[in-house]
């Protein structure tokens, strides 16, 4: 299910994303007709297997490491920056590498311990199909990176980064002389937002078309490395598993295919996209862990009621061995998730990124599990609760708060960020846009919310809710009302243990903190403003933007 591109062409480089559902890598659907083969086949130059696709692409794979050592398209070498090859992780090292031809397909197989990796070429295509099967943690394999020579593509997109002397965090966040920040982490896109990533210039496009991520972790909203450029070249990533700000355990098994695709400057063919790609030609190649279309099933829902029409809804499937997702149709909530491995899954319906419904479904190979219309109970959506006041809506994201959009592709210290202060007055009309999306113990703890209550409201106890989307170093909110009542320090919910707020991702585990505020805490003079102070507390973290912090979803005082 591929939608329309959301990201237009910009200069000589572009990213196109779709809200495509993650489906099987082997779904039915025709490939574009290949070009006439010129010299399809392979040779052995002694140290490398040399594959000629019979189109415009010739590539070479090391016989000792399985690294991709050369990518020649139309006579130009694209592979290589910093003297490094393209490969799994930072290179597997000594491996057993074999090659075989089966009709119009050439398959290179790489074995390194328990890991299996594959490159496939099809006659007349300018594509390389890749699969990676990681069986356990004995091999560090979390990504494939295509390393591209410097000077071939221009990239001024926000997710690019340039090595400078101004390293502002760890060894991977940099500041340019104009105060803007860059990092390979700043991808801006969630997994569900894109089908491919890459560059185009001079009538050539070079892309990685992502896999369906069924054996990855983090779900449809996960953000991770996609690409980067520096003075010595660029990199395109397929992330197989990434631990940074990760919410799930690592899954194991075969991932792919993901595709290295060359074009005449345009986008890669939509027939390569996850959910569209057919690889029935790979059914008999003997790829470890490969499951063809006949060994998969589908989950379909006739509709979802109780939705808020202002937001998109996403349906996710997950169990310890696989994950999938699909978009619910805006008109009625219909959804279809194809290419699912057999098993029992937790089905979760998300309003934007907030889980509002879960159930269990079982998938059987060769069949469709059809679900009757699903009714999301009103009480499952916190936006439906009656509130005296509310800052932002409940979506599972900080969207709408100050600096929220910028934080998916910039560091909090970036010159483009508005001040991280943000006291607000309820009724001002700018409660959400003036309130910072993130609060840190060492940066802006102690934010104030001013509000008035009627006499009846001030005579009663009320529940305050603060929703968060992630936290760093166990940062969590403790509140003070009118300097007269202070809440207990809440227990920290389970959150990722790595950096989050500074590496372009607010996605953790959504959690709602509730505070029962007694009537005695309110001011009885209804002409005066009550003052709510929100502090961040934790015994962990360091200083500044690496002090304990949290990302805010919504804040409200219930009636």
């Amino acid at each position: 299910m591929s939608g329309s591109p959301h990201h237009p062409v910009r200069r000589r480089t572009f990213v196109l994303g779709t809200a495509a559902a993650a489906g099987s890598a082997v779904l039915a659907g025709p490939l574009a007709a290949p070009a006439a083969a010129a010299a399809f086949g392979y040779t052995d130059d002694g140290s490398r297997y040399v594959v000629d696709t019979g189109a415009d692409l010739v590539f070479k794979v090391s016989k000792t490491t399985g690294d991709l050592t050369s990518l020649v398209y139309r006579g130009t070498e694209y592979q290589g920056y910093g003297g490094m090859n393209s490969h799994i992780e930072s290179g597997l090292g000594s491996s057993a590498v074999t090659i075989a031809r089966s009709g119009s397909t050439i398959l290179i197989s790489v074995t390194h311990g328990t890991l299996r990796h594959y490159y496939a070429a099809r006659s007349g295509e300018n594509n390389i199909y890749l699969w990676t099967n990681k069986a356990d943690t004995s091999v560090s394999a979390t990504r494939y990176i295509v390393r591209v020579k410097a000077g071939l593509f221009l990239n001024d997109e926000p997710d690019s980064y340039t090595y400078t002397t101004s390293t502002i965090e760890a060894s991977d966040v940099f500041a340019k002389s104009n105060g803007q920040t860059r990092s390979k982490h700043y991808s801006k896109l969630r997994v569900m937002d894109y089908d491919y990533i890459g560059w185009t210039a001079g009538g050539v496009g070079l892309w990685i078309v992502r896999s369906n991520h069924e054996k990855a972790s983090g779900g449809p909203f996960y953000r991770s490395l996609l690409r980067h450029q520096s003075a010595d070249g660029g990199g395109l990533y397929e992330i197989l598993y990434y631990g940074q700000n990760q919410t799930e355990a690592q899954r194991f098994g075969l991932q792919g295919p993901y595709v290295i695709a060359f074009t005449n400057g345009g986008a890669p063919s939509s027939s390569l996209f996850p959910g569209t790609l057919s690889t029935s030609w790979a059914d008999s190649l003997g790829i470890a862990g490969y499951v063809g279309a006949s060994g998969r099933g589908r989950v379909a829902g006739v509709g979802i009621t109780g939705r808020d029409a202002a937001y998109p809804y996403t349906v996710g499937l997950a169990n310890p061995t696989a994950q999938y997702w699909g978009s619910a149709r805006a008109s009625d909530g219909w959804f279809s998730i194809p290419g699912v491995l057999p098993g029992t899954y937790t089905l979760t319906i998300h309003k934007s990124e907030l889980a509002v419904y879960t159930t269990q479904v079982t998938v059987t190979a060769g069949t469709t599990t059809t679900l009757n219309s699903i009714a999301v109970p009103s009480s499952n959506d916190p936006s439906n609760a009656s509130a005296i006041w509310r800052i932002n809506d409940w979506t599972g994201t900080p969207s709408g708060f100050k600096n929220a959009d910028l934080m998916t592709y910039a560091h909090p210290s970036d010159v483009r960020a508005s001040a991280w202060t943000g006291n607000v007055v309820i009724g001002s009309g700018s409660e959400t846009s003036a309130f910072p999306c993130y609060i840190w113990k060492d940066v802006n703890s102690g934010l104030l919310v001013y509000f008035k209550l009627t006499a009846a409201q001030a005579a009663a106890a009320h529940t305050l809710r603060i929703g968060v989307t992630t936290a760093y170093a166990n940062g969590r909110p403790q509140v003070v009302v009118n300097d007269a009542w202070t809440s207990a320090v809440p227990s920290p919910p389970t959150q990722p243990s790595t950096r989050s707020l500074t590496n372009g991702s607010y996605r953790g585990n959504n959690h709602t903190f509730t505070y029962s505020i007694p009537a005695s805490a309110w001011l009885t003079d209804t002409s005066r403003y009550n003052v709510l102070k929100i502090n961040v507390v934790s015994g962990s973290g360091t200083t500044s933007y690496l002090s304990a912090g949290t990302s805010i979803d919504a804040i409200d005082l219930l009636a």
Side-chain angles (χ1 to χ4, degrees):
M1 295 181 293
S2 297
S4 301
H6 295 312
H7 300 277
V9 174
R10 295 174 183 161
R11 300 187 183 179
R12 297 165 63 206
T13 175
F14 59 91
V15 178
L16 291 182
T18 72
S24 168
V26 291
L27 300 181
L31 283 169
F40 178 70
Y42 71 88
T43 58
D44 182 341
D45 70 3
S47 61
R48 298 171 298 184
Y49 292 120
V50 182
V51 178
D52 191 324
T53 65
D56 295 312
L57 174 63
V58 178
F59 66 94
K60 301 177 183 180
V61 174
S62 168
K63 293 169 59 180
T64 57
T65 66
D67 287 358
L68 185 65
T69 63
S70 176
L71 273 173
V72 176
Y73 178 69
R74 295 181 180 171
T76 298
E77 177 67 76
Y78 284 84
Q79 155 59 39
Y81 72 77
M84 293 180 284
N85 299 322
S86 298
H87 42 215
I88 288 289
E89 200 61 18
S90 296
L92 294 174
S94 180
S95 303
V97 184
T98 61
I99 191 168
R101 175 172 175 172
S102 176
S104 59
T105 302
I106 293 171
L107 182 72
I108 297 176
S109 303
V110 182
T111 300
H112 182 85
T114 60
L115 183 132
R116 304 290 184 270
H117 180 68
Y118 304 91
Y119 302 91
R122 296 277 288 161
S123 178
E125 294 186 16
N126 292 312
N127 306 317
I128 305 174
Y129 300 84
L130 300 93
W131 288 263
T132 304
N133 189 329
K134 181 178 179 180
D136 51 45
T137 59
S138 64
V139 179
S140 176
T142 60
R143 68 179 184 182
Y144 191 93
I145 179 169
V146 178
R147 301 186 187 274
V148 184
K149 290 176 64 175
L152 296 174
F153 299 103
L154 173 68
N155 183 16
D156 292 330
E157 289 292 301
D159 59 335
S160 68
Y161 79 101
T162 302
Y163 292 116
T164 73
T165 56
S166 299
T167 303
I168 60 174
E169 184 177 300
S171 59
D172 54 13
V173 183
F174 306 92
K176 297 181 70 173
S177 59
N178 63 1
Q180 293 188 8
T181 54
R182 296 288 189 269
S183 174
K184 62 185 178 182
H185 296 290
Y186 298 155
S187 66
K188 198 173 186 178
L189 301 174
R190 305 170 301 177
V191 175
M192 68 178 293
D193 294 331
Y194 73 96
D195 288 319
Y196 57 93
I197 195 80
W199 298 295
T200 180
V204 174
L206 172 55
W207 317 97
I208 278 190
V209 183
R210 72 166 174 86
S211 68
N212 66 350
H213 281 224
E214 71 180 358
K215 296 293 186 177
S217 298
F221 313 126
Y222 191 66
R223 299 173 190 268
S224 191
L225 289 68
L226 294 181
R227 67 178 181 174
H228 74 263
Q229 280 202 339
S230 56
D232 55 358
L236 299 177
Y237 296 89
E238 165 72 348
I239 295 299
L240 308 174
Y241 172 79
Y242 200 59
Q244 193 82 289
N245 207 40
Q246 181 59 253
T247 58
E248 293 185 296
Q250 184 170 186
R251 294 181 171 94
F252 299 103
L254 185 69
Q255 296 204 59
Y258 46 104
V259 186
I260 301 171
F262 280 92
T263 70
N264 60 2
S269 170
S270 61
S271 65
L272 301 176
F273 293 177
T276 304
L277 177 60
S278 170
T279 53
S280 57
W281 49 266
D283 288 358
S284 60
L285 294 180
I287 295 172
Y290 181 93
V291 179
S294 63
R296 297 169 178 269
R298 178 187 297 262
V299 175
V302 300
I304 303 171
T305 62
R307 292 172 296 116
D308 184 335
Y311 298 101
Y313 281 69
T314 301
V315 181
L317 300 175
N319 66 21
T321 62
Q323 62 171 11
Y324 308 89
W325 57 86
S327 297
R329 192 161 60 193
S331 60
D332 56 8
W334 175 92
F335 62 90
S336 177
I337 305 175
V340 180
L341 292 171
T344 298
Y345 294 85
T346 297
L347 180 149
T348 304
I349 296 175
H350 299 87
K351 166 196 170 186
S352 186
E353 296 184 18
L354 184 67
V356 293
Y357 182 88
T358 61
T359 190
Q360 299 293 303
V361 297
T362 298
V363 178
T364 303
T367 65
T368 296
T369 300
T370 302
L371 305 176
N372 293 325
S373 184
I374 297 172
V376 176
S378 177
S379 59
N380 285 17
D381 184 346
S383 297
N384 293 328
S386 178
I388 297 172
W389 53 261
R390 177 170 292 139
I391 304 175
N392 212 0
D393 200 0
W394 294 82
T395 63
T397 80
S399 179
F401 281 123
K402 182 164 59 173
N403 294 327
D405 180 64
L406 179 66
M407 288 301 96
T408 63
Y409 61 93
H411 190 269
S413 65
D414 195 289
V415 68
R416 292 167 291 179
S418 300
W420 286 103
T421 53
N423 300 337
V424 298
V425 178
I426 300 299
S428 65
S430 61
E431 296 94 332
T432 298
S433 61
F435 197 88
C437 61
Y438 299 163
I439 306 177
W440 292 270
K441 184 177 180 181
D442 199 38
V443 175
N444 56 350
S445 183
L447 292 176
L448 304 178
V449 178
Y450 296 89
F451 59 96
K452 292 181 179 180
L453 296 175
T454 66
Q457 291 167 342
H462 296 284
T463 296
L464 175 77
R465 302 187 300 183
I466 299 179
V468 303
T469 70
T470 194
Y472 176 68
N474 285 331
R476 65 264 196 203
Q478 182 184 37
V479 300
V480 180
V481 178
N482 293 322
D483 288 329
W485 180 87
T486 301
S487 72
V489 175
S491 298
T494 300
Q495 296 289 6
S497 60
T498 57
R499 286 180 296 160
S500 53
L501 307 182
T502 60
N503 74 355
S505 178
Y506 56 77
R507 179 75 274 129
N509 294 310
N510 288 106
H511 180 79
T512 302
F513 294 95
T514 59
Y515 309 84
S516 298
I517 303 176
S520 59
W522 311 124
L523 300 178
T524 56
D525 184 347
T526 59
S527 66
R528 297 174 59 194
Y529 283 101
N530 290 271
V531 182
L532 169 70
K533 179 186 290 186
I534 304 174
N535 295 316
V536 174
V537 294
S538 176
S540 304
T542 56
T543 60
S544 188
Y545 299 109
L546 289 178
S547 64
T550 192
S551 169
I552 306 298
D553 176 11
I555 306 170
D556 57 21
L557 185 67
L558 299 185

